[in-house]
Amino acid sequence: MTIIVTGGAGFIGSNFIFHMLKEHPDYRIVCIDKLTYAGNLSTLKNVMDHSNFRFVKIDICDRTAVYRLFEEETPDIVVNFAAESHVDRSIENPDVFLQTNIMGTAVLMDACRKFGIKRYHQVSTDEVYGDLPLDRPDLFFTENTPLHTSSPYSSSKAAADLLVLAYFRTYLLPVTISRCSNNYGPYHFPEKLIPLMIINALADKDLPVYGEGLNVRDWLYVEDHCKAIDLIIHKGRVGEVYNIGGHNEMKNIDIVKIICKALGKPESLIKHVGDRKGHDMRYAIDPTKIHSELGWLPDTKFAEGIQKTIDWYLKNEDWWKPIVSGEYQKYYEEMYGNRT
Ligand code: NAD
Ligand code: DAU
């Protein structure tokens, strides 16, 4: 079995590669990644020499390079993690999101059609459903919730989902889609809420909470997401969408306070700053389908997962220090410098 994993030098893709090499030692895993600002080869250093692993630097929008690789590797399964993934960046510059997230998905599926495939899996997001109101805790996203996006990022992911379903209906390409809630864990790029707050708190820097911090996200430990995708690509029904989430809703402000407490830092570091444009209020996944059809349930409770994550950042400065001292500084200044 050969699996192409795109975006495997990023946060979730790398965790998925580690999971697959451990759980399926006889599989060959081929990672393709463009190595954008979010892709980091040092993340993959422990598997680079693994006999069942190959890394190839490719942009998924580069049709010629993608076709060449498919011809060489004749993959059985493709799991597409590659994407521009940060909402704030999409608000500043939508273009690259449309290119990678939509056009890149089309190129990968065209390659699957041309060379044949057992399964194409699209890693999507709960953000395609838009948001839910804070005063309706009884509402959850199901797979039948209409797509209703808020940001250029979520719109590009929704467009890709529609394209994937169109390739299933029109060309009978054997596809599945998963829509997961917010992940956290090791190798999370420090532009995102949890790693940003851990790293800033460690340096006694301001903790920039957008608006009042009352927005709710449904947090899932990354390993549980990887296990769900493993199940879907092996046992999921072709043409189906599976929501993934662990019923773990938390307000942003509470997450930041938990991080302060765990690190022994004062809450006075918290600074309320200008809100994100079009900021989604609440995400909440109903995972009934993946539980009842595939038996998936999350293993890691938030209290355990956040402590493991904090410990990982404490022990792995070698991974994040070079990131936050480089190009990231410029991004941080642009995003947060004048944000009042
Ligand atoms: P990430 O930004 O950490 O990693 C993205 C990876 O894709 C990077 O390694 C980057 O170099 C690579 N990449 C970007 N453009 C590429 C291109 N054109 N060609 C090849 N590689 C390219 O993202 P992540 O948080 O790991 O998210 C992975 C996927 O999961 C995305 O599709 C995202 O939409 C989805 N998702 C993320 C979350 C979350 O909480 N992070 C939740 C649900 C779904
Ligand atoms: O729900 C799944 C999505 O989760 C994925 O599809 C995205 O790829 C992923 O980035 C994530 O999107 P969010 O926008 O929810 O994640 P982010 O970490 O950027 O922000 C989480 C919440 O924290 C959000 O309400 C905005 C807020 N926030 C974020 C940052 C970076 C702050 O208050 N301050 C910050 O500095």
Side-chain angles (χ1 to χ4, degrees):
M1 178 79 85
T2 296
I3 304 190
I4 288 187
V5 176
T6 73
F11 166 45
I12 310 175
S14 60
N15 278 284
F16 182 72
I17 289 170
F18 306 148
H19 167 86
M20 294 303 280
L21 287 171
K22 189 162 120 237
E23 296 301 320
H24 306 280
D26 50 332
Y27 286 12
R28 174 171 171 74
I29 307 289
V30 179
C31 169
I32 69 178
D33 199 296
K34 182 182 174 183
L35 298 179
T36 67
Y37 77 92
N40 199 335
L41 261 192
S42 76
T43 302
L44 296 172
K45 70 174 190 298
N46 290 336
V47 295
M48 274 302 189
D49 295 331
H50 195 296
S51 53
N52 286 352
F53 179 74
R54 178 183 178 198
F55 176 84
V56 193
K57 185 175 186 294
I58 288 183
D59 181 341
I60 58 165
C61 302
D62 181 345
R63 194 173 285 277
T64 310
V66 168
Y67 283 12
R68 197 183 308 124
L69 187 82
F70 271 64
E71 197 169 11
E72 245 173 74
E73 291 287 350
T74 57
D76 300 284
I77 298 176
V78 173
V79 184
N80 181 25
F81 291 93
E84 290 293 333
S85 69
H86 192 35
V87 174
D88 292 325
R89 287 185 192 254
S90 83
I91 294 167
E92 298 307 314
N93 176 21
D95 195 50
V96 66
F97 285 74
L98 309 184
Q99 200 52 37
T100 288
N101 299 2
I102 306 173
M103 295 311 296
T105 297
V107 168
L108 289 171
M109 290 195 296
D110 286 340
C112 291
R113 287 181 58 216
K114 188 171 163 65
F115 296 96
I117 199 86
K118 292 198 182 90
R119 179 68 62 88
Y120 172 86
H121 182 74
Q122 177 73 2
V123 180
S124 186
T125 168
D126 59 359
E127 297 203 16
V128 299
Y129 299 121
D131 63 351
L132 296 164
L134 289 183
D135 60 356
R136 288 294 306 274
D138 54 313
L139 295 180
F140 296 91
F141 299 136
T142 74
E143 290 79 0
N144 297 321
T145 301
L147 303 189
H148 186 78
T149 55
S150 312
S151 70
Y153 162 70
S154 55
S155 304
S156 68
K157 293 295 288 185
D161 282 14
L162 292 175
L163 206 55
V164 172
L165 294 173
Y167 272 56
F168 170 63
R169 169 132 181 192
T170 307
Y171 307 117
L172 303 179
L173 190 72
V175 305
T176 38
I177 296 177
S178 53
R179 295 183 180 144
C180 190
S181 59
N182 285 65
N183 286 212
Y184 67 102
Y187 301 106
H188 204 178
F189 195 82
E191 67 190 346
K192 307 285 171 60
L193 179 78
I194 288 182
L196 185 145
M197 296 299 168
I198 295 172
I199 287 170
N200 278 19
L202 284 173
D204 297 307
K205 282 175 65 177
D206 287 355
L207 306 178
V209 171
Y210 299 166
E212 291 182 72
L214 300 179
N215 308 65
V216 169
R217 297 292 182 265
D218 183 359
W219 293 95
L220 185 72
Y221 193 63
V222 63
E223 175 71 12
D224 283 321
H225 186 186
C226 297
K227 288 178 187 164
I229 295 174
D230 186 357
L231 271 175
I232 295 169
I233 59 177
H234 288 100
K235 298 190 178 143
R237 284 182 297 136
V238 161
E240 293 291 318
V241 174
Y242 292 91
N243 281 355
I244 308 172
H247 281 305
N248 184 55
E249 292 178 50
M250 315 247 327
K251 291 191 195 93
N252 295 339
I253 188 73
D254 293 337
I255 298 261
V256 180
K257 286 181 179 170
I258 287 171
I259 291 170
C260 286
K261 190 159 178 228
L263 291 173
K265 299 291 180 180
E267 289 181 9
S268 56
L269 288 176
I270 296 173
K271 293 285 172 303
H272 290 273
V273 298
D275 211 347
R276 176 182 278 175
K277 290 183 187 120
H279 200 171
D280 281 336
M281 279 319 298
R282 170 176 170 248
Y283 302 146
I285 282 279
D286 176 352
T288 305
K289 180 174 173 180
I290 189 166
H291 175 54
S292 57
E293 274 190 28
L294 306 180
W296 178 86
L297 277 177
D299 291 325
T300 303
K301 297 260 180 305
F302 188 77
E304 182 198 340
I306 192 71
Q307 194 53 55
K308 269 167 49 176
T309 304
I310 291 172
D311 290 344
W312 188 88
Y313 280 88
L314 285 171
K315 283 196 203 106
N316 289 277
E317 286 190 357
D318 288 359
W319 182 82
W320 58 261
K321 281 224 159 131
I323 295 174
V324 297
S325 61
E327 201 37 30
Y328 178 84
Q329 284 290 350
K330 194 165 152 258
Y331 162 82
Y332 196 89
E333 199 38 49
E334 278 168 16
M335 194 62 76
Y336 296 94
N338 294 318
R339 194 165 192 148
T340 49

PDB file of all heavy atoms in Angstrom, residues 28 169 190 212 237 254 259:
ATOM      1  N   ARG A  28       3.964   2.237   2.489  1.00  0.00           N
ATOM      2  CA  ARG A  28       4.926   3.231   2.042  1.00  0.00           C
ATOM      3  C   ARG A  28       4.228   4.599   2.072  1.00  0.00           C
ATOM      4  O   ARG A  28       3.129   4.749   1.529  1.00  0.00           O
ATOM      5  CB  ARG A  28       5.351   2.873   0.612  1.00  0.00           C
ATOM      6  CG  ARG A  28       6.248   3.904  -0.042  1.00  0.00           C
ATOM      7  CD  ARG A  28       6.798   3.340  -1.369  1.00  0.00           C
ATOM      8  NE  ARG A  28       7.482   4.351  -2.148  1.00  0.00           N
ATOM      9  CZ  ARG A  28       8.682   4.825  -1.855  1.00  0.00           C
ATOM     10  NH1 ARG A  28       9.340   4.377  -0.810  1.00  0.00           N
ATOM     11  NH2 ARG A  28       9.249   5.741  -2.617  1.00  0.00           N
ATOM     12  N   ARG A 169     -19.368  12.407  -8.272  1.00  0.00           N
ATOM     13  CA  ARG A 169     -20.602  12.208  -9.047  1.00  0.00           C
ATOM     14  C   ARG A 169     -20.313  12.113 -10.549  1.00  0.00           C
ATOM     15  O   ARG A 169     -20.856  11.260 -11.245  1.00  0.00           O
ATOM     16  CB  ARG A 169     -21.557  13.377  -8.768  1.00  0.00           C
ATOM     17  CG  ARG A 169     -22.727  13.394  -9.701  1.00  0.00           C
ATOM     18  CD  ARG A 169     -24.019  13.576  -9.027  1.00  0.00           C
ATOM     19  NE  ARG A 169     -25.083  13.559 -10.018  1.00  0.00           N
ATOM     20  CZ  ARG A 169     -26.311  13.917  -9.775  1.00  0.00           C
ATOM     21  NH1 ARG A 169     -26.639  14.335  -8.582  1.00  0.00           N
ATOM     22  NH2 ARG A 169     -27.220  13.873 -10.711  1.00  0.00           N
ATOM     23  N   PRO A 190       3.216  28.445  15.250  1.00  0.00           N
ATOM     24  CA  PRO A 190       2.922  29.435  16.309  1.00  0.00           C
ATOM     25  C   PRO A 190       2.124  30.660  15.900  1.00  0.00           C
ATOM     26  O   PRO A 190       2.004  31.598  16.690  1.00  0.00           O
ATOM     27  CB  PRO A 190       4.315  29.830  16.815  1.00  0.00           C
ATOM     28  CG  PRO A 190       5.280  29.313  15.849  1.00  0.00           C
ATOM     29  CD  PRO A 190       4.641  28.251  15.019  1.00  0.00           C
ATOM     30  N   GLU A 212     -13.588  40.240  22.828  1.00  0.00           N
ATOM     31  CA  GLU A 212     -13.752  39.875  24.243  1.00  0.00           C
ATOM     32  C   GLU A 212     -13.259  38.464  24.551  1.00  0.00           C
ATOM     33  O   GLU A 212     -13.251  38.036  25.704  1.00  0.00           O
ATOM     34  CB  GLU A 212     -15.229  39.988  24.619  1.00  0.00           C
ATOM     35  CG  GLU A 212     -15.722  41.429  24.649  1.00  0.00           C
ATOM     36  CD  GLU A 212     -17.173  41.479  25.074  1.00  0.00           C
ATOM     37  OE1 GLU A 212     -17.453  41.242  26.256  1.00  0.00           O
ATOM     38  OE2 GLU A 212     -18.028  41.717  24.193  1.00  0.00           O
ATOM     39  N   ARG A 237     -17.243   5.115   3.842  1.00  0.00           N
ATOM     40  CA  ARG A 237     -17.974   4.863   2.589  1.00  0.00           C
ATOM     41  C   ARG A 237     -17.635   5.919   1.552  1.00  0.00           C
ATOM     42  O   ARG A 237     -17.638   7.125   1.860  1.00  0.00           O
ATOM     43  CB  ARG A 237     -19.482   4.849   2.850  1.00  0.00           C
ATOM     44  CG  ARG A 237     -19.948   3.561   3.521  1.00  0.00           C
ATOM     45  CD  ARG A 237     -21.438   3.560   3.708  1.00  0.00           C
ATOM     46  NE  ARG A 237     -21.892   4.620   4.601  1.00  0.00           N
ATOM     47  CZ  ARG A 237     -22.939   5.392   4.390  1.00  0.00           C
ATOM     48  NH1 ARG A 237     -23.669   5.250   3.297  1.00  0.00           N
ATOM     49  NH2 ARG A 237     -23.300   6.323   5.267  1.00  0.00           N
ATOM     50  N   ASP A 254     -10.897  31.445  28.007  1.00  0.00           N
ATOM     51  CA  ASP A 254     -10.647  30.387  28.999  1.00  0.00           C
ATOM     52  C   ASP A 254      -9.403  29.577  28.639  1.00  0.00           C
ATOM     53  O   ASP A 254      -8.645  29.167  29.521  1.00  0.00           O
ATOM     54  CB  ASP A 254     -11.878  29.477  29.119  1.00  0.00           C
ATOM     55  CG  ASP A 254     -13.057  30.228  29.733  1.00  0.00           C
ATOM     56  OD1 ASP A 254     -12.804  31.241  30.430  1.00  0.00           O
ATOM     57  OD2 ASP A 254     -14.217  29.831  29.500  1.00  0.00           O
ATOM     58  N   ILE A 259      -3.680  28.362  29.913  1.00  0.00           N
ATOM     59  CA  ILE A 259      -2.253  28.366  29.549  1.00  0.00           C
ATOM     60  C   ILE A 259      -1.449  29.200  30.559  1.00  0.00           C
ATOM     61  O   ILE A 259      -0.379  28.790  31.021  1.00  0.00           O
ATOM     62  CB  ILE A 259      -2.074  28.867  28.093  1.00  0.00           C
ATOM     63  CG1 ILE A 259      -2.644  27.830  27.119  1.00  0.00           C
ATOM     64  CG2 ILE A 259      -0.601  29.160  27.774  1.00  0.00           C
ATOM     65  CD1 ILE A 259      -2.750  28.282  25.673  1.00  0.00           C
TER      66      ILE A 259
END
